[in-house]
Amino acid sequence: MNFLYNKELNENHNITKTGYRALFLLMQLIKQPLSRDELIELVEENPILNKDFSKDTITNTINTLRKSGCIISRPSQKTQHKYVIKTHPFGIYLQSQHIKALQTFRESLVAGGNWRLVFLLNNLYTKIAGRAQDSTDAEILQNHHPFKDIDIDIINNLILFIKTGKKARFIYNSSRNGIEELEFSPEYITFENQKLYVWGHNLKYDNFGYLRIDKIKAITTLIYNAPNAADDKLKKQIVKVEYLLKGNSAQIFTCNEYEKIIEKQENTLKIEASVSNKFNFYQRILSFGTDCKILTPESAQKELLNILMNIKAGYKNARQ
């Protein structure tokens, strides 16, 4: 077992060996049960404790930990002659306000659409839940988020397929058709209405659309076939749109999977979007209000203008 230590450690350090020794043994026993010989072997790798460390020293240190509130079983045939730490007073004690604060922080990331960071945070919360004293607190930290039904391995595979341009066969639980096998070429992932979607070309139905990621039950095989007419059709369906953001929208902007920042100035951003779903794209553009202006192509400007005119007409009709 390798450890990282400060290379500048010298004989004049101000470490209390008795306290350090107790913390060192506690750390090792929390990880796994260990025998006296295994503990001595670990100590020999430690530059601070590698001198004058005997079996009696281990016994005395274990007794010190017991006096500190640790319950540590004696080595026996039942424990394979290892010390086993059953409980200790150094766990994480979370009060209701702590759980509320952690949840509020996670919900703020969800509201901002930062699904990648939410997944990373979920991993941290799972570790915290493992040390929480209250089972209700642990359940909230582990399960009270919108991605609890999503297999993290499926997410990782989708990200890999998007980066490499690979296609795959999915086992998908369709609301309309039930369990079915789909050949799918993923392009990007979005988070909308508390759900994660993967967008791409559905080879089975020859259309560009989305699948709910929580309904992907398995990814069975990769498809290594060369680009074909379906790929060409998919490329023709994607429209490159450039738009300008200013003000507060530019300050808090986060790219979607199909977007990239191509120019950044002090108060403005120029973004290029590869648009395959126009409805979702224009909903996003409208959310920026007057902070946003479509630059190219002209067809996208006209489509947005038509949407705005229809909205205005709707309000006029409502007033009559």
Side-chain angles (χ1 to χ4, degrees):
M1 186 179 297
N2 296 322
F3 297 92
L4 297 177
Y5 299 106
N6 188 343
K7 294 183 178 179
E8 298 180 356
L9 188 67
N10 57 60
E11 295 296 327
N12 298 319
H13 56 72
N14 295 317
I15 295 175
T16 302
K17 283 192 176 181
T18 302
Y20 180 84
R21 183 168 56 237
L23 290 174
F24 181 82
L25 262 66
L26 175 64
M27 181 180 72
Q28 305 311 317
L29 291 174
I30 286 175
K31 292 179 182 177
Q32 60 184 336
L34 294 166
S35 66
R36 283 192 180 92
D37 290 338
E38 288 170 334
L39 285 170
I40 290 176
E41 184 180 345
L42 290 172
V43 167
E44 288 175 349
E45 298 177 8
N46 187 296
I48 299 174
L49 300 175
N50 60 1
K51 298 177 181 178
D52 303 324
F53 199 89
S54 64
K55 291 185 178 181
D56 289 339
T57 308
I58 289 179
T59 300
N60 292 334
T61 306
I62 293 293
N63 288 335
T64 299
L65 290 173
R66 287 178 177 140
K67 290 177 181 178
S68 300
C70 299
I71 299 178
I72 304 173
S73 66
R74 296 180 180 277
S76 64
Q77 190 171 4
K78 184 178 179 181
T79 64
Q80 298 179 328
H81 303 289
K82 296 183 179 185
Y83 290 104
V84 179
I85 188 163
K86 296 182 177 179
T87 62
H88 60 81
F90 307 107
I92 299 175
Y93 294 91
L94 298 171
Q95 298 178 6
S96 59
Q97 62 263 36
H98 300 148
I99 298 295
K100 185 177 180 179
L102 290 169
Q103 280 297 93
T104 299
F105 178 61
R106 178 159 57 185
E107 287 165 5
S108 71
L109 296 179
V110 171
N114 196 336
W115 60 269
R116 291 175 183 267
L117 191 53
V118 173
F119 270 104
L120 293 175
L121 195 66
N122 287 345
N123 293 336
L124 174 61
Y125 281 16
T126 297
K127 293 178 181 179
I128 295 174
R131 295 181 179 274
Q133 303 298 312
D134 187 274
S135 60
T136 301
D137 292 343
E139 196 276 333
I140 290 173
L141 291 174
Q142 286 183 305
N143 297 318
H144 286 219
H145 60 87
F147 305 146
K148 62 181 181 295
D149 296 324
I150 295 177
D151 187 336
I152 189 64
D153 290 335
I154 287 178
I155 284 287
N156 289 333
N157 282 328
L158 288 174
I159 293 172
L160 178 62
F161 299 157
I162 290 168
K163 287 181 178 179
T164 59
K166 293 178 178 177
K167 305 177 182 65
R169 286 190 177 92
F170 296 166
I171 303 300
Y172 186 70
N173 186 12
S174 169
S175 300
R176 177 180 298 177
N177 303 319
I179 299 295
E180 60 179 331
E181 187 175 277
L182 301 175
E183 293 184 357
F184 198 81
S185 178
E187 290 292 317
Y188 57 85
I189 294 171
T190 62
F191 179 60
E192 304 166 35
N193 301 318
Q194 300 289 298
K195 300 293 181 183
L196 271 180
Y197 299 89
V198 57
W199 293 79
H201 188 221
N202 190 326
L203 280 71
K204 180 175 181 179
Y205 299 109
D206 192 22
N207 62 11
F208 189 90
Y210 63 83
L211 300 176
R212 265 180 52 179
I213 295 179
D214 60 307
K215 292 193 172 189
I216 300 175
K217 300 307 176 185
I219 299 177
T220 56
T221 56
L222 294 177
I223 305 171
Y224 293 97
N225 56 308
N228 52 31
D231 296 305
D232 294 334
K233 180 179 179 181
L234 171 60
K235 290 177 182 178
K236 291 178 182 178
Q237 291 176 338
I238 297 175
V239 178
K240 298 288 185 180
V241 179
E242 289 185 11
Y243 64 93
L244 192 71
L245 273 187
K246 63 180 182 179
N248 187 58
S249 296
Q251 295 296 321
I252 64 174
F253 177 76
T254 301
C255 279
N256 274 339
E257 296 294 323
Y258 55 85
E259 296 173 320
K260 63 180 179 180
I261 298 172
I262 56 176
E263 186 179 314
K264 186 175 183 179
Q265 297 184 7
E266 184 177 355
N267 298 312
T268 62
L269 297 175
K270 185 185 288 186
I271 297 105
E272 180 185 87
S274 299
V275 180
S276 54
N277 185 289
K278 291 184 178 181
F279 176 81
N280 286 344
F281 173 71
Y282 288 122
Q283 288 292 310
R284 178 166 172 79
I285 292 297
L286 290 170
S287 72
F288 297 131
T290 56
D291 285 346
C292 181
K293 178 182 179 181
I294 292 181
L295 301 176
T296 61
E298 186 178 349
S299 60
Q301 295 175 339
K302 291 180 178 179
E303 286 176 348
L304 180 60
L305 182 59
N306 286 333
I307 291 171
L308 292 171
M309 291 176 66
N310 288 334
I311 292 173
K312 183 178 180 181
Y315 277 107
K316 282 186 175 180
N317 292 334
R319 293 174 61 182
Q320 292 176 356

